[in-house]
Amino acid sequence: MLFALVFTASAKADVINLEGTWRFGIDRDDKGITEKWFSRNLEDAIRLPGSMAENLKGDPITLQTKWTGSIYDSSYYFNPRLEKYRRSDNIHIPFWLTPARHYVGAAWYQKEVVIPAKWKGQCIILNLERAHTETRVWIDDQELGTQNSLAAPHIYELRSGLEPGKHRITIRVDNRIKEINVGPDSHSVSDHTQGNWNGIVGRMFLESRPQVYLEDIRVFPDVKNKKALVRLFIANTSGSAVKGQIKLVARSFNSEKSHETKTVQSSFNVARSGNTSLDVEVPFGDGMLTWDEFNPALYKLSAILQARGAESEKEVQFGMREFRIEGNQFLINGNPVFLRGTLHNAEFPLTGYPDMKVEGWLRIFRTAKQYGLNHVRFHSWCPPEAAFIAADQVGIFLQPEAPSWPNHGPKIGLGQPIDKYLYDETARMIKSYGNYASYTMHSAGNEPAGNQVQYLNDFVAFWKKQDNRRVYTGMSVGGSWPIVPQAEYQVRGGVRGLAWDKRPESFSDFSEGIAKFKVPFVAHEMGQWCVFPNFDEIKKYKGVYRARNFEMFQQDLQDQGMGDQARDFFMASGKLQALSYKHEIEKSLRTPGYGGFQLLGLQDFPGQGTALVGLIDAFWEGKDYVSPEQFSRFCNTTVPLARLPKFVFYNNERFQAQIDLFRSEKNVLLNGVVRWRIKNAGGKILKSGSFAPQNFRNGNGIKVGSIDVSLAEVDQPSRLNLEVAVDKSSFINDWDFWVYPASNPREVPGIYYTSVLDNKAKEVLNRGGKVFFNAAGKVVKGKEVQMYFLPVFWNTSWFKMRPPHVTGMLIQEKSPAFDDFPTSYHSDLQWWDIQHRSQTMILEDFPAGFKPLIQPIDTWFLNRRLALVYEARVGKGKIIVSSADLRKDADDRPAAEQLFYSLQKYMASEKFNPSQEVDINVIEDVFKSPSKQLFDTYTKDSPDELKPSSSKNKVN
């Protein structure tokens, strides 16, 4: 709880808990106000806190469900292949998770309470935490008013109190988007994330306060001078002028060291039936404890108010910290800090609404810390108070946002209601959560439209002047949005990503891209690399939501004959995803002056077509292909870095690497020693060394030294590993690289190599010979599939099949075909010059169960059976077909050359004995006929082209 209100004249805090069973009614026709439902007893019942959906109130899901959220890919409503998922008894929505019930409109909640005699004449507060969205309240037949906040509790004040006895509270909750439109895709309201639920899910209580009470307390730390300015807001409902006293004392409560300030007293005067504010300085002295990510020491400030013969106490939690900006760096208490962040998008697959308990948020933030993160952005929404309490304890820097994505409908800076609402919501956020140490950053929302620069310039200037306890940006935006000059820091796209359209390296950085920014640059929504669905996750959905999207993708994979490969696809694509995150994060860590990044995200995003971009799932639970320990090798407070010009070498070359260090720590590393070693696949150390001791302060891409070794001793095709560690610490990082012989035979006898499946090739097969068919550039059945080395970005549905379409490859690594080409079961950097921009073959007419040697993993929206290289028996003969360009005369393509040699050597051996037979006509058809299954968007515009209604989305 943010505060506890205690009256010494009473035995305990005067609070009536309103949780439990409430009477309930759905107002589908919006007639409850005119019919005065507040004057009669409602007939149904519901449990609060809770949502209608979790109480199974509302409507079943149909094709006509009127969702809140843009639908970019409407092909689901028209695609004949998906017809069975549109039947009323088998609805499977692919865009997002499916709630148990759905309702958008007005609903009424009603409960009777008994006001005790001792409350007579007192001010009474009704507190409704996390109501969604607009509330309108009556006590008996008296209307108290209307509130509409997505970020803060709805608080109604009865200054004249209530007569003791029984009273009826009636609350009308309306979750429609009306005049105030934060945007249908805003994560505060959209079905893409938590869903547009109706209800009240947090604390609900009536509270009695004395006629003179502390309405608000704000603590402004001054770390440099070891003191805090405490601003007190005093309310007077007594009807007469009042004089009183305030006593303030702060006590630490969560750290090994304890500290308590001296009690400070101050007098105040407040006018008749008025409010006043009072500023009081509280000195902390030499024992002061500061808050940061390493030592998140916290205080509770106790404020005791004495007036009119009564005494009341209010407590607030805060930390002594200063989060500010100097040049292009963030500073915490004067120490440079790099933000390693992720987005929280309001994914709550069990409830469909935010966790309201501190324990749940502690688990989330501790998980983030396990993966080396220190920062969380809340994309177009603000979390409840429990999140701030937990983040304070764990030591996490938060960027909550005014709950808006003012695009796809609303626009800012044009005089629409959203303009004032963002100011109002920010004011409510600062009042409710502004004391929390973790609340270090603030944004007005996500990716706006309208007259945004002027509006956001004014927004930042206004709030910086109002409350400087945090830093402010305009909105979090992609790279094409205009720059807001007054933003104290920039959260932008455009300077992120991997340049893997060229040979992978780890030498370049983002210096050129951030050079024009003189304030901290934080990468907006970094990553977004996809992994194939983990269908084992389906069984976790035991709450309000079901993963009907996952069920649909799983069944489709089975229909395409690959259901038994789902786990392999998940693991293989996951390894490539983790590799992509590693290299993008490291690129930011080696860029001097880079301010930080915000992943999208560490966890999966269940909406926008199902965006499986996380290293953990939407439950904040890990995935098998990467552990927190593995991830935190390259994402941590200290990370060794290696700048390599490439990752594939011939053994007549030298291996050269520049070693750097990233640090974002609390203290200087004195006389730090960095060691390195190169190992083979068996763990044998081939080379090792260390660099001279030096002092390391915080920074990105700190130069350490260089490595230069000969590879001449590596006489076999090898996967080697460079490992770099900081001596006497747990900080260690590593990179695989590959070394191949400088010369292999260009041609192995006894194999007919051809780039055309001509009559000679057929003759060789007919007499029992061996054919290697280089089919690169010849594919027809599959030419529409675009494969890059990088995996699918976000997902192919949301971007209407924008390439790439493939999310890694599954490789039969135990096959002797790879005896001379060291590989695992998944894509790795040595595969780049083989895989990138190669054609894939669709094997839609191949025998059931046919599995290629190298199998690209298709987008899960189509699940086509793909191949890059396969082997087969054809009549008496045997064939290997490759749609990757494996030429006999490959130049400066060491991996392609080595793979070709390994395949030829395999074909020349007795081990070459394909188990499956394929008719030559089926093979030829891949190079003659187009695919039977082609993607069709069916509609062209976006977004909101096909919002479901009774007259749309009907399939002929």
Side-chain angles (χ1 to χ4, degrees):
M1 226 178 170
L2 174 61
F3 62 85
L5 190 59
V6 181
F7 303 112
T8 56
S10 305
K12 293 183 179 180
D14 282 339
V15 171
I16 297 174
N17 190 336
L18 299 178
E19 298 179 8
T21 301
W22 286 59
R23 290 193 291 269
F24 175 73
I26 298 178
D27 192 0
R28 296 183 189 278
D29 300 323
D30 211 6
K31 59 186 180 181
I33 295 175
T34 56
E35 294 182 357
K36 298 183 178 180
W37 285 16
F38 50 83
S39 294
R40 72 186 197 201
N41 289 338
L42 303 176
E43 297 178 355
D44 201 356
I46 197 169
R47 289 282 301 179
L48 292 179
S51 69
M52 284 180 58
E54 70 179 325
N55 280 277
L56 297 179
K57 307 293 185 183
D59 303 315
I61 307 306
T62 70
L63 286 184
Q64 283 70 47
T65 296
K66 295 181 179 180
W67 299 104
T68 303
S70 302
I71 297 174
Y72 276 69
D73 174 12
S74 301
S75 60
Y76 162 76
Y77 292 103
F78 299 94
N79 191 335
R81 181 169 130 260
L82 304 180
E83 188 277 332
K84 65 179 178 180
Y85 302 111
R86 298 191 293 265
R87 295 198 314 260
S88 59
D89 62 342
N90 191 42
I91 294 291
H92 282 70
I93 301 295
F95 319 119
W96 40 62
L97 301 174
T98 303
R101 291 288 190 276
H102 183 273
Y103 178 75
V104 176
W108 293 67
Y109 304 82
Q110 196 175 74
K111 191 177 186 68
E112 290 183 344
V113 297
V114 176
I115 301 299
K118 64 183 179 181
W119 283 24
K120 185 176 178 63
Q122 302 276 58
C123 179
I124 296 176
I125 305 297
L126 171 63
N127 187 304
L128 307 174
E129 187 188 21
R130 202 53 54 141
H132 199 93
T133 304
E134 178 189 86
T135 59
R136 193 167 174 178
V137 174
W138 290 260
I139 301 289
D140 301 323
D141 292 342
Q142 176 190 356
E143 183 174 353
L144 300 190
T146 299
Q147 292 198 27
N148 186 348
S149 176
L150 288 157
H154 294 200
I155 296 177
Y156 293 86
E157 187 177 82
L158 289 79
R159 288 204 161 196
S160 58
L162 286 173
E163 288 298 314
K166 185 181 292 186
H167 295 272
R168 179 176 56 238
I169 302 175
T170 306
I171 306 171
R172 178 183 182 270
V173 179
D174 191 344
N175 62 328
R176 288 174 290 189
I177 292 178
K178 299 194 290 187
E179 292 82 8
I180 297 173
N181 184 356
V182 298
D185 294 325
S186 172
H187 296 177
S188 56
V189 299
S190 182
D191 290 297
H192 287 294
T193 54
Q194 61 182 299
N196 189 7
W197 49 275
N198 187 302
I200 304 166
V201 299
R203 294 167 298 165
M204 307 174 64
F205 56 87
L206 286 171
E207 181 177 36
S208 172
R209 297 179 178 177
Q211 292 179 339
V212 182
Y213 64 92
L214 286 165
E215 192 269 335
D216 191 20
I217 300 176
R218 302 187 183 187
V219 183
F220 295 82
D222 182 350
V223 174
K224 180 180 179 181
N225 295 304
K226 298 181 180 179
K227 63 182 181 180
L229 173 69
V230 179
R231 182 161 295 156
L232 304 121
F233 296 84
I234 302 167
N236 178 17
T237 66
S238 68
S240 60
V242 173
K243 294 181 180 181
Q245 294 283 326
I246 291 284
K247 294 180 181 180
L248 300 174
V249 63
R251 301 178 180 91
S252 64
F253 68 91
N254 72 324
S255 50
E256 290 184 6
K257 293 182 180 179
S258 61
H259 179 242
E260 180 175 329
T261 67
K262 294 180 179 179
T263 300
V264 176
Q265 298 189 54
S266 183
S267 301
F268 68 87
N269 296 300
V270 59
R272 177 178 178 269
S273 296
N275 298 317
T276 191
S277 63
L278 177 67
D279 286 357
V280 181
E281 279 193 357
V282 177
F284 279 70
D286 293 337
M288 182 183 75
L289 305 175
T290 57
W291 182 94
D292 60 30
E293 64 178 290
F294 303 101
N295 301 106
L298 296 169
Y299 286 88
K300 287 184 179 177
L301 177 79
S302 171
I304 299 174
L305 182 149
Q306 296 170 327
R308 295 175 59 85
E311 186 176 276
S312 60
E313 182 179 356
K314 185 171 182 176
E315 257 187 6
V316 294
Q317 175 181 307
F318 70 100
M320 290 299 291
R321 62 96 177 126
E322 180 187 53
F323 192 84
R324 65 183 179 88
I325 289 167
E326 189 174 283
N328 62 0
Q329 285 187 323
F330 295 104
L331 303 178
I332 178 72
N333 305 328
N335 196 43
V337 61
F338 182 94
L339 298 178
R340 305 176 307 280
T342 188
L343 273 60
H344 198 295
N345 304 292
E347 307 96 341
F348 298 96
L350 291 180
T351 60
Y353 58 75
D355 198 322
M356 304 305 294
K357 303 296 184 183
V358 173
E359 293 74 18
W361 287 101
L362 285 173
R363 184 181 70 85
I364 287 173
F365 294 140
R366 285 169 179 163
T367 300
K369 279 275 185 112
Q370 286 179 337
Y371 284 82
L373 303 181
N374 64 355
H375 169 49
V376 176
R377 172 200 165 201
F378 294 89
H379 180 307
S380 61
W381 77 292
C382 177
E385 186 177 41
F388 293 93
I389 295 173
D392 271 17
Q393 293 180 25
V394 175
I396 291 277
F397 305 109
L398 300 186
Q399 180 187 300
E401 295 186 343
S404 70
W405 188 344
N407 210 324
H408 311 163
K411 297 177 175 62
I412 60 172
L414 302 179
Q416 297 178 5
I418 187 66
D419 286 353
K420 182 176 183 298
Y421 187 71
L422 297 185
Y423 277 84
D424 292 343
E425 282 287 75
T426 298
R428 288 186 280 259
M429 291 166 64
I430 288 175
K431 180 177 180 180
S432 297
Y433 318 123
N435 290 321
Y436 288 108
S438 53
Y439 187 0
T440 51
M441 307 165 72
H442 184 90
S443 162
N446 183 72
E447 296 178 350
N451 186 16
Q452 50 191 285
V453 175
Q454 180 179 337
Y455 177 88
L456 294 173
N457 268 338
D458 294 343
F459 183 91
V460 170
F462 177 85
W463 288 109
K464 185 62 180 175
K465 184 177 180 181
Q466 289 288 314
D467 192 330
N468 65 358
R469 290 177 291 179
R470 63 200 58 82
V471 295
Y472 298 87
T473 192
M475 287 197 178
S476 306
V477 297
S480 61
W481 266 256
I483 293 172
V484 176
Q486 293 300 318
E488 293 188 273
Y489 65 101
Q490 297 286 341
V491 179
R492 295 184 63 81
V495 190
R496 66 182 190 197
L498 290 169
W500 282 359
D501 55 337
K502 300 176 182 177
R503 180 178 295 172
E505 42 79 19
S506 64
F507 210 89
S508 63
D509 60 30
F510 295 118
S511 292
E512 182 179 353
I514 66 169
K516 64 181 178 181
F517 298 101
K518 305 307 178 186
V519 298
F521 183 95
V522 180
H524 172 69
E525 299 181 358
M526 181 183 274
Q528 306 184 54
W529 311 120
C530 276
V531 62
F532 198 80
N534 177 19
F535 298 130
D536 290 339
E537 187 183 317
I538 293 172
K539 61 179 177 290
K540 293 185 179 183
Y541 291 85
K542 299 177 180 179
V544 172
Y545 279 89
R546 293 291 182 269
R548 302 297 184 208
N549 46 355
F550 275 51
E551 294 172 5
M552 175 178 167
F553 304 143
Q554 181 183 39
Q555 182 59 56
D556 187 63
L557 188 71
Q558 292 171 350
D559 291 346
Q560 303 277 24
M562 295 177 288
D564 61 332
Q565 291 187 284
R567 173 72 179 176
D568 292 338
F569 288 171
F570 165 66
M571 290 296 293
S573 62
K575 288 293 187 181
L576 177 60
Q577 179 201 48
L579 183 73
S580 302
Y581 275 105
K582 170 181 168 67
H583 281 263
E584 188 170 9
I585 288 172
E586 288 181 352
K587 191 170 183 178
S588 71
L589 300 185
R590 64 177 179 262
T591 304
Y594 209 78
F597 59 80
Q598 297 168 347
L599 300 177
L600 184 57
L602 181 64
Q603 77 285 11
D604 284 335
F605 186 95
Q608 294 187 4
T610 309
L612 305 178
V613 297
L615 288 305
I616 60 178
D617 62 27
F619 296 85
W620 280 75
E621 295 176 349
K623 296 181 179 180
D624 294 342
Y625 53 81
V626 61
S627 67
E629 294 76 18
Q630 291 168 324
F631 191 86
S632 61
R633 288 169 82 95
F634 56 82
C635 180
N636 214 320
T637 56
T638 295
V639 178
L641 300 165
R643 292 184 187 251
L644 297 171
K646 59 182 180 178
F647 290 88
V648 181
F649 299 83
Y650 290 114
N651 64 352
N652 61 358
E653 296 182 273
R654 300 190 69 81
F655 176 81
Q656 296 175 326
Q658 176 183 306
I659 304 304
D660 291 355
L661 195 66
F662 161 83
R663 273 182 61 79
S664 183
E665 296 277 359
K666 189 165 187 174
N667 301 308
V668 176
L669 176 60
L670 299 175
N671 297 313
V673 175
V674 176
R675 301 185 183 278
W676 63 271
R677 59 184 185 177
I678 294 174
K679 303 181 294 182
N680 65 17
K684 181 182 177 181
I685 298 174
L686 306 181
K687 303 282 184 180
S688 64
S690 64
F691 302 101
Q694 58 180 295
N695 297 338
F696 292 102
R697 299 182 181 276
N698 283 2
N700 299 16
I702 304 168
K703 300 284 188 294
V704 177
S706 59
I707 300 170
D708 186 346
V709 299
S710 170
L711 297 172
E713 297 176 13
V714 185
D715 57 359
Q716 297 295 321
S718 300
R719 174 181 62 82
L720 303 182
N721 180 266
L722 169 65
E723 186 177 81
V724 182
V726 179
D727 203 19
K728 299 179 181 178
S729 81
S730 60
F731 301 118
I732 188 169
N733 199 4
D734 69 295
W735 301 263
D736 287 339
F737 64 98
W738 290 262
V739 181
Y740 302 130
S743 59
N744 282 315
R746 293 281 179 147
E747 192 168 339
V748 175
I751 300 165
Y752 177 61
Y753 175 92
T754 182
S755 58
V756 180
L757 201 55
D758 52 13
N759 288 332
K760 183 176 179 181
K762 294 176 184 178
E763 290 174 10
V764 171
L765 290 169
N766 285 336
R767 64 171 183 261
K770 303 171 182 179
V771 172
F772 185 98
F773 176 26
N774 181 357
K778 305 293 195 305
V779 175
V780 175
K781 193 184 295 292
K783 68 178 181 179
E784 69 274 17
V785 182
Q786 295 190 50
M787 178 172 66
Y788 303 169
F789 183 74
L790 280 169
V792 166
F793 176 87
W794 196 239
N795 66 66
T796 54
S797 173
W798 184 253
F799 288 108
K800 294 199 167 189
M801 213 52 61
R802 184 181 80 180
H805 306 141
V806 169
T807 184
M809 301 192 303
L810 178 63
I811 300 153
Q812 304 299 324
E813 88 281 12
K814 294 182 180 178
S815 167
F818 302 107
D819 280 354
D820 286 87
F821 187 81
T823 185
S824 187
Y825 62 92
H826 54 85
S827 304
D828 215 327
L829 292 176
Q830 89 276 30
W831 282 99
W832 179 85
D833 73 26
I834 301 164
Q835 178 181 351
H836 185 66
R837 297 290 185 134
S838 288
Q839 285 191 310
T840 68
M841 300 171 280
I842 293 180
L843 308 184
E844 57 191 359
D845 294 320
F846 276 54
F850 185 90
K851 291 182 174 59
L853 288 169
I854 305 172
Q855 183 173 5
I857 302 166
D858 195 19
T859 168
W860 54 89
F861 295 95
L862 295 178
N863 289 319
R864 295 162 294 197
R865 188 158 48 135
L866 305 179
L868 187 69
V869 177
Y870 68 82
E871 61 178 343
R873 286 186 290 110
V874 180
K876 298 177 181 179
K878 306 168 189 176
I879 192 171
I880 282 185
V881 180
S882 172
S883 56
D885 188 4
L886 302 181
R887 288 171 289 174
K888 291 189 290 184
D889 56 348
D891 291 319
D892 196 29
R893 297 181 62 215
E897 180 183 333
Q898 186 66 35
L899 177 60
F900 179 57
Y901 171 71
S902 185
L903 292 173
Q904 285 190 99
K905 188 176 176 182
Y906 165 61
M907 293 177 73
S909 72
E910 295 182 356
K911 297 177 181 178
F912 183 43
N913 188 28
S915 60
Q916 292 178 294
E917 183 171 358
V918 180
D919 188 274
I920 189 66
N921 295 317
V922 173
I923 292 175
E924 284 187 297
D925 190 56
V926 172
F927 310 101
K928 293 179 178 179
S929 304
S931 311
K932 299 173 185 175
Q933 176 187 330
L934 295 174
F935 174 76
D936 189 341
T937 61
Y938 293 91
T939 54
K940 304 302 179 187
D941 298 329
S942 66
D944 300 329
E945 55 188 333
L946 284 175
K947 296 308 290 290
S949 71
S950 58
S951 62
K952 294 179 180 179
N953 302 326
K954 289 184 177 179
V955 180
N956 295 327

